[in-house]
Amino acid sequence: MLGAGCQSISQPDASVAGGEQVKPAVRQQIPGNAGKIAQKTGKRSSTSASSEPTELWTRVRQGLSWQDLDGPGVEQARRSYLAQPGYLPMINERAALYLYYIVEELERRELPMELALLAMVESALDPFATSHFRAAGIWQIMPATGEHLGLQQDWWFDGRRDLRASTNAALDYLESLHADLDNDWLLALAAYNAGKGRILSAMKANARKGKPTDYWSLSLPRETRRFVPRVVALAQIFSEPEVYGITLPELPNQASFVVVDSGGQVEMARAAELAGIDLDTLRALNPGQLRWASKPEGAQELLLPPESAARFRSGIALLDPADRVRWRHYTIRRGDSLIKIARKYDTRVDTLKAANNMRGSLIRAGDTLLIPYGGDWAKSLAIAGDDARVRKGYRVKRGDSLYRIAGRFKVSIDDILAWNSLERDAYLQPGQQLTLYLDEG
């Protein structure tokens, strides 16, 4: 089941729907199989190169074709989205980084533009989102499904969070579901949420009873019944935002990043310094990179803002190999402890545990520890002293993510992880208490 985690990502609350503006016109109701032809093709209206819009939301709007679909739950989903004034601004902020690439891939493959909205329903375009089912990334891909789709998942890198890898894998999977489910995109989306087997079983059950087998006619789990209407509701809102009182800030219809060759493993803080950007920006563009340094094997690539690429390439070409990532190999002796070793090498216990993928503090004589040293990477894990920052407690709210909390308080995600002894793929529970260290003022 690919998108099983979407239930845990902040979604419109159906109980909040009152007094919001809705479209006054009556939309076409498509019962049973009546709307199946429209669902099967899902083709975008073609846009010639000469009329290519300069604004990204306009490009998305021109590609939408499902806004006249309707069915149970669509109006309620639309009302719920419109009742959350902060939802669309949050989407817009993340879209500035991630949406252009998704749109490019959809058009290259000639797929419905509505699949970009699927990513919004799944994760609100948050690559750091993790559900309690362990689905991760913008497309909320489960670990087993990610493995099936060939996505790298290890201590250093998670392809489910990487924008390019996860988008290509998710679209491959959606295309296969579409082909296997009567070339019907609504059934494909339902299978993305509930699993192909469950959808096929529901279709067979209806066929045996002589009932229609389209999405709207199937008996499906509650979450899946809500899932597809959310996509359709967003298509209606984005197709005519002015009708619903929505103003979308303009986004340039151009790439937000370029791919650069790092020439090998490099500390993320060092890469950010060479590119002339802050570490959080580098993390936001490279969410698949899980640690303080880029993955040591495979394609040695990083995504950077276009205006930073030339500076990075010049800097990385002059970087001494010893300044990339440096390690000591320490053989544990009888009587050693992590505290003792950390003091010996002027580092921190949580740094040693992170470097060696350790959850506990148990060590054994004869084993080897990796001790990273040099460079600036440790700064992103260090806790500032009480005289430099103010300690603040924060209670996690519904819909929060590490990315959102870091942005709100202007700290790095690595800071939050170190301050609270969290793993990068940790799922934040509503009500969970976090400790933050903030600059005064």
Side-chain angles (χ1 to χ4, degrees):
M1 184 161 57
L2 191 69
C6 66
Q7 302 174 58
S8 303
I9 307 305
S10 179
Q11 294 291 351
D13 187 347
S15 65
V16 182
E20 57 276 29
Q21 181 179 3
V22 296
K23 183 167 181 171
V26 177
R27 293 192 174 274
Q28 176 187 2
Q29 181 76 22
I30 304 181
N33 288 323
K36 211 163 190 184
I37 295 177
Q39 299 165 25
K40 281 185 178 182
T41 60
K43 294 295 183 181
R44 301 170 292 102
S45 56
S46 59
T47 303
S48 65
S50 61
S51 61
E52 181 75 15
T54 59
E55 199 277 319
L56 185 55
W57 285 120
T58 302
R59 182 179 178 185
V60 170
R61 187 158 51 251
Q62 289 178 353
L64 296 174
S65 60
W66 296 5
Q67 54 266 37
D68 288 327
L69 295 181
D70 206 352
V74 173
E75 181 179 357
Q76 184 178 32
R78 189 175 66 244
R79 288 177 177 271
S80 297
Y81 279 120
L82 294 172
Q84 299 183 80
Y87 179 78
L88 292 178
M90 176 182 65
I91 289 291
N92 192 76
E93 180 181 351
R94 295 170 183 168
L97 289 180
Y98 310 122
L99 184 58
Y100 180 86
Y101 181 82
I102 295 173
V103 169
E104 284 279 294
E105 281 301 300
L106 291 175
E107 292 191 345
R108 184 181 68 81
R109 296 173 182 238
E110 297 188 338
L111 297 178
M113 188 62 70
E114 281 78 5
L115 298 188
L117 310 183
L118 167 64
M120 299 177 194
V121 171
E122 282 285 2
S123 68
L125 286 180
D126 183 0
F128 299 102
T130 303
S131 80
H132 63 273
F133 290 108
R134 298 178 61 213
I138 282 177
W139 299 95
Q140 287 292 279
I141 300 175
M142 298 285 285
T145 307
E147 183 177 355
H148 172 72
L149 295 174
L151 291 174
Q152 179 182 344
Q153 299 173 74
D154 56 34
W155 191 67
W156 290 99
F157 185 81
D158 190 343
R160 298 176 303 154
R161 300 185 185 279
D162 180 82
L163 174 64
R164 295 180 300 158
S166 68
T167 296
N168 288 309
L171 296 185
D172 285 346
Y173 186 64
L174 283 162
E175 285 189 279
S176 72
L177 291 174
H178 178 254
D180 292 342
L181 293 167
D182 200 22
N183 292 325
D184 188 315
W185 279 113
L186 299 192
L187 292 176
L189 263 61
Y192 190 93
N193 177 260
K196 184 173 72 173
R198 179 167 289 181
I199 303 305
L200 286 172
S201 296
M203 292 173 68
K204 291 177 181 177
N206 271 25
R208 286 195 298 268
K209 299 174 184 177
K211 295 182 178 180
T213 58
D214 63 291
Y215 166 78
W216 305 109
S217 303
L218 300 181
S219 177
L220 297 172
R222 181 182 181 186
E223 172 59 27
T224 309
R225 294 200 307 271
R226 292 179 173 181
F227 184 74
V228 173
R230 287 170 179 160
V231 177
V232 176
L234 285 179
Q236 295 175 358
I237 293 171
F238 283 118
S239 67
E240 297 177 295
E242 68 285 349
V243 171
Y244 300 105
I246 299 298
T247 300
L248 293 171
E250 291 191 357
L251 294 179
N253 185 22
Q254 60 189 37
S256 59
F257 62 81
V258 294
V259 182
V260 297
D261 187 348
S262 65
Q265 188 179 31
V266 63
E267 295 169 4
M268 297 296 283
R270 174 82 64 183
E273 178 185 0
L274 293 175
I277 60 178
D278 61 79
L279 183 58
D280 283 344
T281 298
L282 184 66
R283 289 288 191 195
L285 286 172
N286 298 273
Q289 303 284 355
L290 303 181
R291 306 299 168 185
W292 66 90
S294 60
K295 61 181 182 178
E297 76 293 322
Q300 300 296 328
E301 297 176 339
L302 291 174
L303 306 187
L304 295 176
E307 64 274 13
S308 303
R311 174 173 173 170
F312 177 83
R313 292 188 182 103
S314 298
I316 204 74
L318 299 175
L319 187 65
D320 190 304
D323 289 330
R324 284 182 171 272
V325 179
R326 293 183 285 176
W327 304 87
R328 290 186 177 95
H329 295 264
Y330 177 77
T331 302
I332 300 170
R333 302 171 185 173
R334 293 179 64 85
D336 273 343
S337 68
L338 287 181
I339 294 176
K340 182 177 179 181
I341 297 169
R343 287 174 178 168
K344 179 178 180 178
Y345 289 102
D346 192 25
T347 187
R348 299 172 53 84
V349 170
D350 55 1
T351 296
L352 291 179
K353 292 170 70 173
N356 292 274
N357 194 22
M358 297 173 62
R359 294 188 178 275
S361 299
L362 179 65
I363 57 176
R364 294 183 176 85
D367 288 348
T368 300
L369 286 180
L370 291 177
I371 303 177
Y373 71 102
D376 296 329
W377 69 271
K379 294 179 183 178
S380 67
L381 292 176
I383 300 176
D386 290 339
D387 56 344
R389 291 189 175 186
V390 175
R391 176 171 174 162
K392 175 183 176 63
Y394 178 76
R395 188 175 298 277
V396 176
K397 300 178 177 60
R398 184 169 180 257
D400 270 345
S401 67
L402 292 171
Y403 180 80
R404 292 186 67 183
I405 296 171
R408 176 180 175 183
F409 292 102
K410 300 187 186 310
V411 297
S412 74
I413 291 172
D414 286 323
D415 282 339
I416 300 175
L417 296 175
W419 293 335
N420 296 276
S421 300
L422 298 174
E423 294 292 329
R424 179 163 287 275
D425 60 354
Y427 172 65
L428 298 182
Q429 299 278 359
Q432 180 179 350
Q433 190 71 26
L434 298 179
T435 298
L436 308 176
Y437 291 84
L438 309 178
D439 292 327
E440 293 190 78

